[in-house]
Amino acid sequence: MAKKIREILRDPRYVEFQNRYYDNLVAYVLDNSRHQPTWQQMEFLEAVSKPGCRVAVSSGHGTGKSEMLAWILDWHLRVFHFSNAMLTATNIEQARSVVWKYLDDVIADVEAMYPWQAGYFVKETRRYFSVLHKDSWYVMPKTASKAKPENLAGQHNINYLVVVDEASGVDDVIHDVLKGALTNERNRYVMTSQPTRATGHFAEAMTKLAIREGGGNGIYTA
């Protein structure tokens, strides 16, 4: 197994795979998913494709949001070697259990298209990772707890992705800690939520911080 995972970084098939999908999440889903994304999902995927993106999506139940998050996390892990991604929410066990369920289907779809990748990436209950680099190349779910915001700090990487689910309920202190880790111009910050509050960072991202409404101050694709 050690020899096999080392070879993926030198394997021409992996280099070709990376080149095809680098900053191209839309192609990743269209090429590999058994389901055709809706136009709303396509807009979401296009926004997240952009390096350095700040994306906020207001979504209800049954919109396919959790499936799209699974695709985003899988794409980020497989395409960007030694990347890190964090999935967080106030109720991370609920968010993780749903997204992790969809990840099973995503992994099956991708590895049906690229069977030579089977075994290189492993999904466990609380981590999805590259086999030889469990502590440096991974997706990890963590609780967005106001009591211990420091638990979400300390993540820095050229290719780092933060996904905040049910972001409307996440305290602004947590958002500040999470955004503080975005130290590279390629780092991505993605928020999805039902609009449960009229105040807070998510609400501002959907209004005055939205590019379509914020003018020169807009930073979020919403």
Side-chain angles (χ1 to χ4, degrees):
M1 180 60 71
K3 181 179 179 182
K4 185 177 182 182
I5 193 64
R6 287 194 189 101
E7 289 174 350
I8 196 173
L9 300 176
R10 301 191 302 268
D11 192 328
R13 295 174 299 181
Y14 185 62
V15 173
E16 182 180 356
F17 175 84
Q18 286 184 300
N19 288 340
R20 177 169 181 79
Y21 297 122
Y22 197 86
D23 293 339
N24 196 344
L25 174 58
V26 173
Y28 192 75
V29 176
L30 290 178
D31 287 355
N32 301 307
S33 176
R34 72 190 78 173
H35 303 128
Q36 176 68 33
T38 66
W39 68 265
Q40 296 98 329
Q41 291 171 338
M42 285 287 290
E43 287 189 349
F44 184 26
L45 298 173
E46 288 172 359
V48 178
S49 284
K50 299 173 183 177
C53 70
R54 304 292 183 266
V55 180
V57 174
S58 178
S59 63
H61 295 294
T63 60
K65 175 261 296 179
S66 295
E67 181 182 5
M68 290 302 101
L69 292 184
W71 275 104
I72 291 167
L73 294 171
D74 185 79
W75 165 75
H76 197 267
L77 180 72
R78 289 178 186 265
V79 172
F80 305 109
H81 58 272
F82 295 110
S83 62
N84 301 143
M86 181 189 299
L87 171 67
T88 189
T90 53
N91 187 345
I92 191 57
E93 292 308 312
Q94 179 178 339
R96 179 196 55 76
S97 64
V98 175
V99 174
W100 249 230
K101 178 186 70 174
Y102 282 110
L103 260 175
D104 288 334
D105 292 336
V106 170
I107 292 167
D109 284 356
V110 173
E111 293 185 356
M113 295 295 294
Y114 299 96
W116 54 269
Q117 288 196 25
Y120 286 127
F121 301 96
V122 171
K123 182 178 75 68
E124 294 181 345
T125 304
R126 301 182 185 279
R127 188 176 294 226
Y128 182 33
F129 58 93
S130 170
V131 168
L132 263 192
H133 309 283
K134 184 174 183 178
D135 294 326
S136 58
W137 184 356
Y138 58 81
V139 175
M140 180 183 295
K142 282 192 173 184
T143 300
S145 170
K146 186 179 178 181
K148 295 183 177 180
E150 66 276 6
N151 288 351
L152 299 175
Q155 299 289 326
H156 299 285
N157 197 315
I158 293 173
N159 289 300
Y160 180 48
L161 164 70
V162 178
V163 174
V164 188
D165 196 20
E166 297 305 331
S168 181
V170 173
D171 193 274
D172 283 2
V173 171
I174 299 298
H175 284 294
D176 289 343
V177 171
L178 292 168
K179 291 184 295 173
L182 306 178
T183 56
N184 189 279
E185 62 183 8
R186 291 189 53 80
N187 294 166
R188 293 169 164 90
Y189 197 70
V190 178
M191 298 189 292
T192 62
S193 187
Q194 297 185 63
T196 58
R197 292 195 299 155
T199 59
H201 186 66
F202 180 78
E204 291 180 353
M206 298 299 298
T207 53
K208 68 180 183 180
L209 294 180
I211 292 173
R212 68 173 186 272
E213 297 183 15
N217 297 322
I219 60 173
Y220 279 92
T221 301

